[in-house]
Every structure is written in C-alpha cells, then in structure tokens.
Amino acid sequence: MNAPAASALLKQHLIDPVICIRCNTCEETCPIKAISHDSRNYVVDPEICNGCGACLSPCPTGSIDNWRTVPKAQAWTLADQLGWDELPEELAIADAGMPAETADADGFAPPPLDSARGSTIAPASAATPTINLYTIRQPALATVAGNVRVTATESDSDTHHIVLDFGSLPFPVLEGQSIGIIPPGTDGRGRPHHARQYSIASPRDGERPKYNNLSLTVKRVLVDHAGQPVRGVASNYVCDLAKGDQVKVIGPFGSSFLMPDDPKANLLMICTGTGAAPMRGMTERRRRRMQDGDGRLMLFFGARSQAELPYFGPLSKLPSAFIDINLAFSRAPGQPRTYVQDLLRERAADIAGLLGSDQTHIYVCGLKGMEDGVLDALRQAADQHGLDWTALHARLKAEGRLHLETY
Ligand code: NAP
C-alpha cells in the first residue's frame, strides 16, 4: 500500500472526556463555532476546526489540548466523539503506509487568535498553581466539615457554604481556582455522572487556617435556564451533604484567574450571585496576609435582593477602609432594577482612577449575561476620563490583569 500524502492526513483536535469538566469555556471561546456538546461530552467538528488554538489557554484543565494524526477520510465524527468515555489511542499511521513521526498533517497552521475578551494568562506576580492533581480515575476523597446556608431563609435562593477537609491528602489551591465534584450514581444512560466545577471560596491556607480544607459556594438548582422545574444533580447533592459525608473531588483547575501576590495591587472585583466565590477567597487572602500594602479593594456584587446575596452578613462587617463594597439589587421591592454595571457607571470616576493604574487587576465572575454590560461600563468610565479603552483593554489582557469567568 502506498503511503498517504501528508495533505491526506489531519492533525485532529479532540477533547479528553476524562479530564474535561464541561465548563463550556472552549465552546464560548472558539471563534468559528467548531466546538459543541451534548449532555455528556464536548466535541470538535473536524470539518470546521482549523487548529487556530484560541481555545487552548482558556481551558482550565488542559483537556482541550489533545491531537491525533489520522487520514482525513478516517477523522472521528461528532457522533464518534459524543459516544466516547475516553480518547482513542493514537493511530499507527504506519499501518496506513506512513510512519506517524514523519507525518506532516494539516491542522496547526494559523497562529492562535486573540479572540478572548479577557486574559488567558495569570498576573505576573501570581503564585504557580497546581492543576489536575486528582482525576476522574484517581479522585481525592474529602470529608464534609461544614455546610451552612448563606442566603436568608426567607429567600427562594438556597445557597450553601460547604467546607471540605482533605485530612492528610495534599490538595494545594490558590484563590480563583476551582475543583470538580463527582456526584454519586449514574445518568440517564447508566453512565457515571460527570464532574461539576465549583470555584473555591476560601484562600490558599484554607477556610480555617492550619486546616487542610477549602470552601465552596453552591446554589441549589431547581429551575433550568428556561425557568422549567429541574433538579440539578450535583448542586442538590452538594447542598444536601451532611457533616462527615465523603465526597469525590478532582482538580484543582485553573491557571489564569489568579490573584497578584502583591499587596500594592488594586483588585477590582465584579460578581453576581455565586460568582462571589473567588472574590471571597481573594478578599480573605488580602485580609489575612496583605493588609500592609496600599492596594485598593473594590467590590461590585449583584443579587436579586439582600436576602439572596450570599454572605451578606459577614460582608457587611468588613471595614470600608479595607474594601469598598457596592451592592446592586435587581429586584428589591420599591427600588429600580440595579445591575453591577449600573453601579460601575455611578462610580465611573473611581473606576477610571483604578483603570489608569498599572497596579490594577480586574476580576469578573458570575452570569454570562453580565460580561457585555460590565465591559461597556468599563469602556464608558475610560472614555469619560480620557483613557483609550481599546489600547487599555488589549494591555490589561496581555498583562494578565483582566479576568472573566462567567457561565
Ligand atoms: P442570579 O441570582 O441568577 O443573578 C444574580 C444577579 O445578577 C441578579 O440580580 C440578576 O438579576 C443579575 N443579572 C441578571 N442578568 C444580568 C446581566 N446581564 N448583567 C448584570 N447582572 C445581571 O445568580 P446565580 O443564580 O447565583 O448565578 C450566578 C452565576 O455564576 C451562575 O451562572 C454560575 O454558574 C456562575 N458562577 C458560579 C461560580 C461558583 O463557584 N458557584 C463560579 C463562577 C461562576 P435578575 O435575575 O433580576 O435579572
């Protein structure tokens, strides 16, 4: 059999279903809509993917960075990929007449596109994160050390603060990273549930210093995006955990949404609902370890009402000299609907002051829908105060100073 010409080969882009935490980042990042998903797997269309690499660095786990050299005619279809529990082995291209190492396959040509709206790298001074220490095949076992509701009992939003203890198992994390929880049981097709990702809400030295633990902020899902009743598998499992229960955990994940290890850095934190989790971790890190620097902390936090705002009580106790807190309530009785971006506009002069400083790092976490509004409000603040937002936005991204994590 004659060797296939290099042009008959494809370096096929694939996503590893064992490591993928189904966070949707790749699908959102792909500039040409080559990535899609079903209830189980994220997959790459070989007919569309041009190997541009835009999706690679935003992926928190590295599951996106998998490639197999295949004859183009034998590329794995979307149906093949949706059925996988794990990636297939690399094909022995020699079987098709060409040694794999000499194959010059298509698929990598263009350089990565700069399509991301936020940074894909960490701040220069951030500590080095550990990722993928525990996997679906080898999860860590954590014990529930606490589970308390952090929204008012009269509100419909049942949000919990869960503390997981790893005992003697090493589980090093940084503020802004996330973990995956594997719910017990199987899905509708009889396969084990895939892991769900949650941001860590505590600082690197633990929810309780000197204990090997971390915390999460999880809202019980009882309706889907269309408002139809649904019982979220993982969120209900996590919110119902009792002290002493054991939980399978994978991760940690995330290597860019990290805080600067620099007390002079300003942190502009903008979040909605449970998107407050990483802001809590970063704020607590600054409170415990870095109060001596002159960096400013400014928080914009949105919820439907005070009763639905996670951690309202503890937040109200933080001194204003330490953190400048701005709460936006969208459904407070008798008040106009206010979103975080409305408050950013109200505080435009202070925001512009922060934007003008090279020490400022911006973090946005929460609902996907807030991204446009928040970036618009930042642009307006810059425009009103003589800053060139287009140039500034590019610089913030390139310097690892603008981080967006929205779902
Ligand atoms: P939520 O209660 O649904 O919403 C919080 C607030 O955001 C409400 O006041 C809501 O107003 C407002 N809002 C809606 N659309 C907005 C927009 N376009 N711009 C600005 N504000 C807007 O929030 P949630 O249920 O807690 O959900 C938080 C999101 O964060 C989820 O999508 C979650 O996946 C994500 N997240 C969670 C974590 C975590 O660790 N748990 C980490 C990262 C991200 P109205 O409803 O009145 O319109």
Side-chain angles (χ1 to χ4, degrees):
M1 179 177 171
N2 290 332
S7 61
L9 292 173
L10 172 74
K11 197 123 193 179
Q12 186 172 4
H13 185 194
L14 299 169
I15 299 175
D16 186 344
V18 175
I19 311 176
C20 173
I21 49 173
R22 282 81 179 164
C23 65
N24 207 48
T25 305
C26 54
E27 191 171 320
E28 279 162 19
T29 311
C30 178
I32 52 169
K33 308 267 174 271
I35 300 177
S36 58
H37 70 279
D38 68 359
S39 60
R40 184 160 187 92
N41 282 353
Y42 276 72
V43 293
V44 186
D45 192 334
E47 299 291 330
I48 303 177
C49 177
N50 63 6
C52 76
C55 55
L56 300 186
S57 53
C59 171
T61 64
S63 57
I64 193 81
D65 200 4
N66 282 282
W67 310 83
R68 297 284 187 275
T69 303
V70 292
K72 270 185 189 161
Q74 292 173 29
W76 284 288
T77 64
L78 293 182
D80 291 335
Q81 297 172 50
L82 288 169
W84 285 342
D85 286 325
E86 53 188 63
L87 287 180
E89 293 296 318
E90 178 80 69
L91 284 186
I93 297 296
D95 293 350
M98 175 177 274
E101 63 271 20
T102 63
D104 179 17
D106 288 350
F108 272 136
L113 294 179
D114 185 23
S115 62
R117 303 173 96 188
S119 301
T120 54
I121 56 165
S125 67
T128 305
T130 301
I131 61 166
N132 295 329
L133 195 55
Y134 299 91
T135 61
I136 301 222
R137 288 208 185 88
Q138 283 189 306
L141 216 52
T143 305
V144 177
N147 179 356
V148 290
R149 180 170 168 142
V150 286
T151 43
T153 39
E154 71 269 18
S155 85
D156 290 338
S157 170
D158 185 13
T159 301
H160 286 238
H161 178 75
I162 290 109
V163 181
L164 298 178
D165 194 285
F166 291 91
S168 57
L169 214 54
F171 205 99
V173 299
L174 294 174
E175 305 78 13
Q177 284 195 289
S178 56
I179 61 163
I181 293 215
I182 308 174
T186 52
D187 64 16
R189 289 193 269 174
R191 301 203 234 175
H193 288 299
H194 63 76
R196 304 320 203 264
Q197 183 192 14
Y198 296 103
S199 293
I200 296 165
S202 47
R204 66 191 75 181
D205 55 341
E207 175 65 20
R208 193 166 166 199
K210 303 208 176 85
Y211 283 73
N212 187 15
N213 60 19
L214 58 76
S215 63
L216 306 173
T217 312
V218 181
K219 179 174 172 176
R220 189 188 291 281
V221 173
L222 295 171
V223 286
D224 65 14
H225 284 301
Q228 296 304 310
V230 66
R231 206 174 155 77
V233 171
S235 70
N236 280 280
Y237 163 65
V238 173
C239 287
D240 288 337
L241 285 168
K243 208 169 162 178
D245 284 350
Q246 297 224 297
V247 182
K248 284 185 183 165
V249 179
I250 61 172
F253 306 118
S255 48
S256 60
F257 195 106
L258 302 175
M259 70 186 290
D261 255 354
D262 177 2
K264 293 192 294 306
N266 304 311
L267 304 187
L268 172 54
M269 300 176 281
I270 306 160
C271 59
T272 52
T274 51
M279 315 310 184
R280 182 179 182 275
M282 292 184 190
T283 303
E284 189 58 9
R285 172 75 181 165
R286 285 288 283 255
R287 196 184 66 80
R288 284 184 197 172
R289 298 292 293 273
M290 291 197 245
Q291 287 211 41
D292 294 342
D294 47 10
R296 285 186 68 189
L297 264 62
M298 210 172 178
L299 173 70
F300 290 81
F301 189 174
R304 292 179 180 173
S305 63
Q306 180 180 309
E308 286 205 15
L309 188 108
Y311 307 109
F312 178 78
L315 206 50
S316 330
K317 294 193 185 108
L318 292 174
S320 56
F322 167 64
I323 181 168
D324 182 344
I325 298 175
N326 302 264
L327 303 180
F329 297 124
S330 58
R331 304 192 198 183
Q335 287 177 28
R337 188 189 79 176
T338 306
Y339 280 170
V340 281
Q341 53 267 39
D342 299 318
L343 298 188
L344 287 168
R345 275 188 285 274
E346 279 177 24
R347 302 284 311 268
D350 295 294
I351 297 299
L354 288 182
L355 291 177
S357 163
D358 289 348
Q359 302 277 16
T360 297
H361 294 67
I362 305 172
Y363 298 86
V364 181
C365 188
L367 295 168
K368 185 82 209 153
M370 74 192 285
E371 243 184 68
D372 284 344
V374 166
L375 290 174
D376 271 357
L378 295 177
R379 171 190 292 281
Q380 280 176 26
D383 287 351
Q384 285 164 14
H385 293 83
L387 298 168
D388 174 354
W389 170 252
T390 305
L392 183 59
H393 187 186
R395 203 150 68 79
L396 286 164
K397 274 169 48 174
E399 293 173 1
R401 297 195 289 121
L402 174 62
H403 295 277
L404 310 172
E405 196 160 286
T406 57
Y407 301 118

